[in-house]
Amino acid sequence: MEVSRQQFGPVEEVERGPRARTRRLMLETATRLMQRGVTPSVSEVAEAAGVSRATAYRYFPSQAALVHAVVGEALGPILTWKSGAASAEERVAELFSTSLPRIDEFEATFKAALKLSLEQWAQRQAGSLGNEPQFKRGHRVELLRHALAPLKGELTKAQIDRLAQALSLIFGVEVLIVLKDIWGLEAGKAQTVAQWAANTLVRAAISEAKSI
């Protein structure tokens, strides 16, 4: 789920005092709303937090910037995940076991962000998005590239990219939507299925490369 930080201006510096408390209040309020399945506007968060709209827009100049910040908070340790494992199989398994429980915990938040992405797509198709910054998703790209880094030299770049693209289909809130909402699986079972699929894809890609 990627949104370029530069897209919304400089990264907020670590602050103390009233400014930090106000920003934290807005983030917590927006998170609470998104955990209820709402994709709030900056004005809606300002009202719920008891902050003036003018103040709110100084911190978050657009809905996309606000949702980006909330998603960053929800992703938490996933964004800084690194692995020293020697094999891609181990790294992918570690990434999934680290990330999926967190994604499940903030499932409603990620679904609300997905909703915004889909709504903006529809508005863009209709030519009605206007000047609203686009909310883009794609943190999984760099995470999966890091997980598959041990395969360099064993697979071609094209093969690694294809594997990362295939894994991206089962890494993120979308896999929970399919397995929990459509198949009715409970969270633990859904994560087990996703892990199995990921391991199968990695092994298949390695096996295919060796057979060529």
Side-chain angles (χ1 to χ4, degrees), residues 24 43 56 102 158 170 179 182 205:
R24 173 53 50 188
S43 295
R102 180 82 180 188
I170 53 171
L179 295 177
I182 296 177

Side-chain angles (χ1 to χ4, degrees), residues 59-89:
Y59 289 98
F60 304 104
S62 67
Q63 185 184 35
L66 173 66
V67 173
H68 170 250
V70 175
V71 167
E73 291 280 311
L75 287 171
I78 298 175
L79 290 178
T80 56
W81 175 83
K82 295 291 180 184
S83 174
S87 77
E89 287 185 66

Side-chain angles (χ1 to χ4, degrees), residues 15-198:
E15 297 178 339
R16 292 180 174 83
R19 282 183 58 83
R21 288 194 293 272
T22 299
R23 186 176 188 277
R24 173 53 50 188
L25 172 62
M26 290 195 61
L27 277 176
E28 290 176 350
T29 301
T31 298
R32 187 169 64 251
L33 291 171
M34 290 179 70
Q35 281 291 80
R36 295 174 183 169
V38 177
T39 310
S41 65
V42 178
S43 295
E44 288 169 337
V45 172
E47 182 177 354
V51 175
S52 73
R53 291 187 180 184
T55 297
Y57 277 101
R58 282 201 294 272
Y59 289 98
F60 304 104
S62 67
Q63 185 184 35
L66 173 66
V67 173
H68 170 250
V70 175
V71 167
E73 291 280 311
L75 287 171
I78 298 175
L79 290 178
T80 56
W81 175 83
K82 295 291 180 184
S83 174
S87 77
E89 287 185 66
E90 291 177 292
R91 286 196 184 192
V92 169
E94 183 184 317
L95 174 60
F96 273 62
S97 63
T98 298
S99 303
L100 290 180
R102 180 82 180 188
I103 294 171
D104 181 71
E105 180 182 358
F106 290 92
E107 180 181 359
T109 289
F110 296 128
K111 283 182 175 178
L114 176 59
K115 178 184 175 185
L116 174 61
S117 179
L118 294 173
E119 287 175 344
Q120 285 197 339
W121 176 85
Q123 291 169 350
R124 191 164 59 253
Q125 293 297 106
S128 59
L129 184 59
N131 295 322
E132 174 71 14
Q134 183 179 347
F135 178 73
K136 295 181 180 178
R137 306 164 62 245
H139 284 305
R140 73 190 76 187
V141 173
E142 292 306 316
L143 289 168
L144 289 169
R145 282 176 174 164
H146 173 69
L148 298 178
L151 292 176
K152 291 178 180 178
E154 188 174 353
L155 273 66
T156 66
K157 182 181 182 303
Q159 290 171 327
I160 293 174
D161 284 346
R162 184 180 63 174
L163 176 56
Q165 290 156 7
L167 287 169
S168 71
L169 298 174
I170 53 171
F171 180 64
V173 72
E174 295 88 349
V175 71
L176 297 184
I177 292 173
V178 172
L179 295 177
K180 292 177 68 177
D181 297 352
I182 296 177
W183 279 94
L185 300 185
E186 53 89 23
K189 182 63 174 177
Q191 291 168 31
T192 297
V193 172
Q195 280 272 20
W196 174 83

